[in-house]
Amino acid sequence: MKHASIVANIGVFTVLFVGHIFAAALDFDVLFRIIATSITFQTVFFGTVSILLGTSMSRSHRRETNRFSFIVALPLSVGLGWAYGGMQWQFLPLVVVVVPTLLSHLAVDVLLRR
């Protein structure tokens, strides 16, 4: 499968997401914060994580993986901004998550240019 690393990354995200729900429900505050931080970094650097999960990709395949990962990361970052906004649509939390997500994927894309 050409984008198996993206599927693997989505799998890791899913496990973390379910884990943060359980940690919140059980009032495991420290575990919840660790998982929430992991979700944040994974979302912002979704393309990089997907590339790192892949094996021996060509430069063009890494770039394509990063670009496709951005399509996945963008709605995740919007949802994360909503969560950081207290489950309400607030401009600042949304920007604080979406802009770094955009910039990290753009930076990787530029680095992988031929």
Side-chain angles (χ1 to χ4, degrees):
M1 176 187 275
K2 191 170 186 178
H3 295 293
S5 63
I6 295 172
V7 173
N9 200 2
I10 291 169
V12 171
F13 181 89
T14 301
V15 169
L16 288 171
F17 189 80
V18 170
H20 105 284
I21 292 170
F22 279 109
L26 297 171
D27 289 325
F28 293 161
D29 189 54
V30 173
L31 181 60
F32 174 83
R33 290 176 186 273
I34 291 169
I35 294 173
T37 301
S38 299
I39 288 171
T40 300
F41 280 104
Q42 184 181 17
T43 300
V44 171
F45 299 105
F46 202 88
T48 303
V49 173
S50 293
I51 290 168
L52 292 173
L53 288 173
T55 57
S56 63
M57 293 185 214
S58 66
R59 181 180 289 256
S60 63
H61 186 202
R62 288 192 306 261
R63 192 171 189 206
E64 181 181 328
T65 297
N66 181 64
R67 287 179 174 184
F68 190 74
S69 292
F70 178 67
I71 295 169
V72 175
L74 187 58
L76 294 178
S77 67
V78 170
L80 192 58
W82 174 76
Y84 278 128
M87 313 310 183
Q88 296 179 5
W89 293 113
Q90 295 183 25
F91 182 73
L92 186 59
L94 194 62
V95 168
V96 165
V97 179
V98 173
V99 169
T101 302
L102 172 64
L103 292 176
S104 75
H105 287 81
L106 181 61
V108 170
D109 191 73
V110 168
L111 290 171
L112 292 173
R113 282 191 186 155
R114 291 186 177 192

